[in-house]
Amino acid sequence: MTDANVESAFDVYDVSVLIIILVLTLGFLTKGRLWGKSPSPEEMYNNIGTSEEEAEGNIIKTMEETDKTMVIFFGSQTGTAEDYANRLAKEATARFGLPAMVADLEEYDLSNLNELPSDKFVAFVMATYGEGEPTDNAELFFNFITDEDVTFANEQSADESPLSNLKYAIFGLGNNTYEHYNHCSRLVNKALLALGATRVGPAGEGDEGAGTMEEDYLAWKEELWTAATAEFNLKEKEYVYQPALELTELDDVSDDSVYHGEPNKNHLLHNTASQSLGAHSAHNPFPAKIVATKELFNAKDRSCIHVDIDLTGSNLTYVTGDHAAVWAPNNETEVERLLMVLGLLDKKSTAYTLKAIDPTAKVPFPVPTTYEDTVRYYLEINGPCSRQFLSTLLGFAPTPEAKKEAFRLSSDKDVFQEEISSQYLNIAQTLLLCSNGQPWDKIPFTIMIETLPRLQPRYYSISSSSQVDKKKFSITAVVESIRVPGRKEPLKGVATNYIKKLKHLMSNTVDSDKFMVDYQHEGPRGYLVDKSSDTLKMLVHIRRSNFKLPTDPTKPVIMIGPGTGVAPFRGFVHERATQARNGTPVGPMILFFGSRHPEQDFLYQEEWSEIGEQLGDKFKLVTAFSRVGNDKIYVQHKLVEYGELVSKYIDEGANFYVCGDASHMARDVSHALATIIAKYKGISEFEAEEVVKSLRVQNRYQEDVW
């Protein structure tokens, strides 16, 4: 081959490589949306499609074909916003005769909003996720509508108000402990108004941080209906439950076709015919083997469990700093309680199927299934009872006395807060309280299916490094068993007590907690127990996080992680230690860890000593124990104490990380850093706060808080 031919071949090769890199880069930046297809609900159940594909649905056509006047779009990460959207749609129809539908933002292309007729009504119920980010399913719409150069279908270039026909309402779900409180709903509201849309009613905001989300929603929707009544000439009528789903019990059905808690069809087929589970994702979790569990606390009344989980056999991968999702069932105490209050204990194993009466309604989980499997695996039955939900059940009260009591509670927000919300009572506990223990067996089960949110996985910061082991990750979880004044039983966390149950099974020990709760740990058809090795499994998937070490390993790192907030930093430190052992130069790391007492809850104490020996002066651990001595010392106090070193690292380009409690700790740490910067830079507190904001913008100040 001549030199010219070689050069020509290399040119072709270079161009090909550049094209491939460009395509892959576009795929990464758009998360595959350029060539994706939106999955149907059945495809999600069967795990045929992938997640986060581009929306293709035409909302105008859908509303015309189904004769709908109102559509409520939701942007939801954990299911709460979707729950509120469903409640709003049901109330619109039942209370005002307004034909309404609920729509997932990622399933529709809303570039034709400008063509929506003026007699249609649109509502947006949008959660803000993380640090001011849209939820995964709202990302496409959020980026589209807030773009300065947004262009709609068939839009005239000179039209400055393309959405002048649009009438909309909006409710945001946020947490005031985060800096960007309700950021998404605020920006969407601002964008819609700027585009000429007319808002009906106030822009509502719910605050999870203040614990007022439910009452914020109820207050907003009443103002909304007052404004909508005038705008659309609505007539209020007596509330009558109108099911969107039809439930049919099955007498003759093969058990091989009945879902006993499987998340989708692939899992069902795998359990009954040893077929493949398919690619694993948030819609298709992986039954991962539990390698080891360990109790980390040395305290009688508290527990923190370390779990090592094996991803071998899955397509799942993680990067240090990512989150792990644990799919836990509801505990058997609450499963039995709800079945009892609904009068379904005697036929809990009866199979049934569901069919949508409303063409826009969706069957929320795979069917056919049974009553007990629905309550155990598919419905969020432990969440706090809502005042609105209780009011919709008045007509099904078993006695006049129960109806009177339910009305008393549901009609007065202060009474409801004092007697129900402050006690964190779920729907079953609330109904039994109202009826003095008598079942409410007239309640249609479809109300529970349509009103209670879908049971969601719980997320934990991964506490291991992918550079140490790519196929094994760890989580660190404090078991939630909270004594609430006035409440008979402790408030039990769904997933952490499930993890605790698995830990006792693996170590063959007995739980000494007299309020212990049991779980169906074997999973559907026993497939979460490996009979050949007696190994236990749990359903998991991985969620990507932006909480990452700097790409330059020589950059200093400052980490604030009290309690289990230390989890991702265990991964960070192990990663840097691995890099150092492999000969990579690494920068200094300082970890501020806080807990109550060094002899009770000093997480990973021995490991920090070992890491210190490996990294030498490149790693420093600073501890704050709040129950030692007369004064309570927290991580923010220690941060200020080491202010000179922190300031030096910031000057050297350090990344600053905070993980843990958002309500107090994260804010206090942010203020402490501003105090340090003001002192050692000789600037005002206001100027220092601006420096902290600048660090956030540069992604050098990162938070993973809850």
Side-chain angles (χ1 to χ4, degrees):
M1 183 179 289
T2 67
D3 289 344
N5 286 336
V6 171
E7 183 176 346
S8 175
F10 269 49
D11 287 344
V12 172
Y13 174 78
D14 289 345
V15 170
S16 301
V17 169
L18 286 172
I19 291 173
I20 291 171
I21 292 173
L22 177 61
V23 171
L24 291 175
T25 302
L26 286 172
F28 173 78
L29 293 175
T30 63
K31 299 182 180 180
R33 293 189 182 98
L34 288 179
W35 47 76
K37 178 184 175 184
S38 184
S40 70
E42 280 148 7
E43 286 176 328
M44 287 169 63
Y45 289 150
N46 298 346
N47 192 44
I48 296 174
T50 59
S51 63
E52 298 184 350
E53 283 83 3
E54 186 168 8
E56 296 178 353
N58 186 323
I59 191 59
I60 297 176
K61 182 179 179 182
T62 300
M63 293 181 76
E64 288 176 349
E65 291 177 347
T66 57
D67 198 25
K68 299 297 182 184
T69 301
M70 182 179 187
V71 57
I72 300 101
F73 290 104
F74 66 86
S76 188
Q77 195 73 21
T78 63
T80 306
E82 182 178 3
D83 175 41
Y84 282 131
N86 279 309
R87 287 165 58 178
L88 192 65
K90 289 182 185 301
E91 187 169 357
T93 303
R95 184 176 168 187
F96 297 99
L98 190 65
M101 62 173 285
V102 174
D104 188 329
L105 276 168
E106 74 176 346
E107 294 181 4
Y108 289 89
D109 175 6
L110 296 188
S111 63
N112 64 349
L113 267 182
N114 60 317
E115 298 178 341
L116 195 70
S118 59
D119 62 344
K120 303 297 184 184
F121 189 23
V122 179
F124 298 94
V125 181
M126 300 189 67
T128 295
Y129 167 62
E131 286 301 307
E133 302 162 19
T135 59
D136 292 344
N137 75 311
E139 186 177 1
L140 278 174
F141 169 71
F142 178 82
N143 292 337
F144 165 74
I145 203 69
T146 58
D147 192 324
E148 291 183 1
D149 300 319
V150 58
T151 302
F152 293 92
N154 302 317
E155 180 184 349
Q156 301 299 318
S157 58
D159 188 0
E160 296 181 356
S161 303
L163 297 184
S164 57
N165 281 342
L166 180 68
K167 296 175 181 177
Y168 77 97
I170 189 163
F171 181 76
L173 290 79
N175 188 320
N176 71 31
T177 60
Y178 288 78
E179 181 181 2
H180 303 290
Y181 173 60
N182 265 312
H183 185 67
C184 292
S185 65
R186 290 179 178 181
L187 287 190
V188 168
N189 179 54
K190 181 180 178 181
L192 292 172
L193 290 173
L195 293 166
T198 300
R199 191 181 69 234
V200 179
E205 293 186 346
D207 188 356
E208 183 182 8
T212 59
M213 182 72 75
E214 176 68 16
E215 291 302 330
D216 292 337
Y217 166 76
L218 293 178
W220 167 78
K221 62 100 174 172
E222 285 307 318
E223 292 187 73
L224 165 65
W225 291 132
T226 298
T229 297
E231 182 72 33
F232 297 99
N233 194 28
L234 302 178
K235 303 295 182 183
E236 188 168 358
K237 61 179 184 175
E238 183 181 357
Y239 175 85
V240 177
Y241 169 61
Q242 298 177 357
L245 300 171
E246 179 184 352
L247 185 151
T248 304
E249 293 184 353
L250 304 174
D251 296 325
D252 185 19
V253 59
S254 169
D255 189 64
D256 284 352
S257 65
V258 175
Y259 289 84
H260 288 302
E262 292 89 351
N264 55 52
K265 192 172 183 179
N266 279 9
H267 281 250
L268 176 68
L269 294 176
H270 177 77
N271 287 349
T272 58
S274 298
Q275 296 192 19
S276 171
L277 286 174
H280 303 101
S281 66
H283 300 304
N284 189 46
F286 173 63
K289 289 184 179 180
I290 302 173
V291 178
T293 61
K294 180 171 62 175
E295 175 62 58
L296 297 178
F297 281 178
N298 183 27
K300 293 181 179 180
D301 58 342
R302 294 186 301 138
S303 175
C304 181
I305 300 173
H306 173 95
V307 187
D308 292 325
I309 299 165
D310 189 359
L311 293 175
T312 302
S314 76
N315 66 313
L316 295 174
T317 59
Y318 80 97
V319 178
T320 308
D322 281 346
H323 300 143
V326 173
W327 294 55
N330 289 309
N331 73 68
E332 292 302 291
T333 299
E334 295 304 331
V335 170
E336 292 289 307
R337 196 194 315 263
L338 184 56
L339 290 171
M340 183 274 286
V341 77
L342 297 176
L344 293 173
L345 276 178
D346 290 342
K347 59 175 185 178
K348 62 182 182 181
S349 59
T350 299
Y352 70 86
T353 191
L354 294 169
K355 182 176 70 174
I357 299 173
D358 185 325
T360 65
K362 294 181 179 179
V363 176
F365 44 77
V367 290
T369 186
T370 69
Y371 291 110
E372 66 175 331
D373 290 318
T374 302
V375 174
R376 180 178 293 121
Y377 293 108
Y378 297 136
L379 297 181
E380 191 76 72
I381 66 174
N382 287 285
C385 175
S386 77
R387 189 159 60 90
Q388 183 182 12
F389 188 21
L390 181 60
S391 70
T392 64
L393 300 177
L394 294 176
F396 304 105
T399 64
E401 292 76 18
K403 183 175 183 179
K404 182 179 179 180
E405 177 65 7
F407 177 78
R408 182 184 72 86
L409 290 168
S410 63
S411 60
D412 189 319
K413 70 176 183 179
D414 294 329
V415 171
F416 191 84
Q417 167 63 30
E418 180 181 352
E419 299 185 29
I420 305 300
S421 298
S422 68
Q423 298 297 298
Y424 300 94
L425 300 186
N426 59 37
I427 184 61
Q429 292 166 333
T430 302
L431 292 177
L432 289 173
L433 182 67
C434 291
S435 65
N436 199 25
Q438 188 168 338
W440 291 55
D441 52 9
K442 297 176 184 177
I443 296 177
F445 193 60
T446 50
I447 290 186
M448 295 294 158
I449 296 172
E450 294 171 16
T451 306
L452 293 177
R454 180 80 184 266
L455 182 60
Q456 298 291 327
R458 270 51 174 179
Y459 292 92
Y460 300 89
S461 297
I462 291 177
S463 55
S464 56
S465 166
S466 56
Q467 287 201 14
V468 175
D469 194 330
K470 294 181 179 180
K471 277 299 180 181
K472 187 175 76 174
F473 72 87
S474 306
I475 58 175
T476 308
V478 168
V479 178
E480 292 181 338
S481 183
I482 304 168
R483 299 308 301 264
V484 178
R487 180 183 165 113
K488 296 179 181 179
E489 311 161 9
L491 182 63
K492 296 284 188 177
V494 174
T496 56
N497 282 276
Y498 170 62
I499 291 170
K500 184 181 181 183
K501 166 73 174 181
L502 297 177
K503 187 263 178 190
H504 281 293
L505 287 169
M506 291 205 48
S507 59
N508 197 26
T509 56
V510 177
D511 193 339
S512 60
D513 182 1
K514 68 176 181 178
F515 293 106
M516 63 170 288
V517 288
D518 199 13
Y519 287 84
Q520 189 74 281
H521 70 277
E522 299 92 346
R525 294 180 169 85
Y527 83 142
L528 294 182
V529 178
D530 188 333
K531 302 278 194 304
S532 62
S533 61
D534 253 359
T535 303
L536 300 180
K537 302 178 182 180
M538 64 167 63
L539 291 175
V540 301
H541 75 266
I542 302 297
R543 183 175 71 185
R544 299 302 172 206
S545 168
N546 294 323
F547 201 72
K548 295 286 186 284
L549 279 166
T551 53
D552 181 354
T554 65
K555 289 287 185 184
V557 171
I558 304 165
M559 302 165 287
I560 317 294
T564 53
V566 80
F569 303 136
R570 178 179 182 263
F572 283 14
V573 172
H574 275 287
E575 183 139 317
R576 281 274 175 101
T578 300
Q579 291 171 333
R581 284 197 300 272
N582 293 336
T584 301
V586 297
M589 309 179 81
I590 181 169
L591 169 62
F592 293 88
F593 169 74
S595 65
R596 296 185 184 182
H597 198 283
E599 295 179 2
Q600 296 177 4
D601 51 10
F602 193 167
L603 299 181
Y604 303 112
Q605 180 178 6
E606 294 180 359
E607 288 189 23
W608 305 132
S609 299
E610 295 172 2
I611 293 290
E613 292 177 3
Q614 296 176 33
L615 290 176
D617 61 0
K618 296 296 185 181
F619 175 69
K620 184 174 185 61
L621 175 68
V622 178
T623 57
F625 299 109
S626 62
R627 304 296 171 87
V628 176
N630 296 326
D631 298 325
K632 290 189 175 181
I633 304 298
Y634 297 110
V635 286
Q636 59 267 26
H637 301 134
K638 288 292 184 178
L639 184 65
V640 173
E641 183 181 328
Y642 284 80
E644 185 175 0
L645 181 60
V646 169
S647 178
K648 174 178 177 291
Y649 285 165
I650 293 292
D651 286 345
E652 294 173 357
N655 275 23
F656 191 89
Y657 300 90
V658 184
C659 183
D661 168 52
S663 59
H664 298 292
M665 182 275 297
R667 283 187 172 184
D668 291 342
V669 165
S670 181
H671 292 152
L673 180 60
T675 299
I676 291 169
I677 292 172
K679 177 180 179 180
Y680 291 96
K681 301 300 178 194
I683 59 179
S684 68
E685 284 283 347
F686 175 79
E687 291 172 316
E689 293 284 358
E690 292 301 308
V691 172
V692 173
K693 289 181 181 178
S694 175
L695 292 174
R696 292 179 185 273
V697 171
Q698 298 171 52
N699 210 33
R700 288 176 55 197
Y701 190 120
Q702 297 183 32
E703 291 180 318
D704 186 0
V705 294
W706 54 87

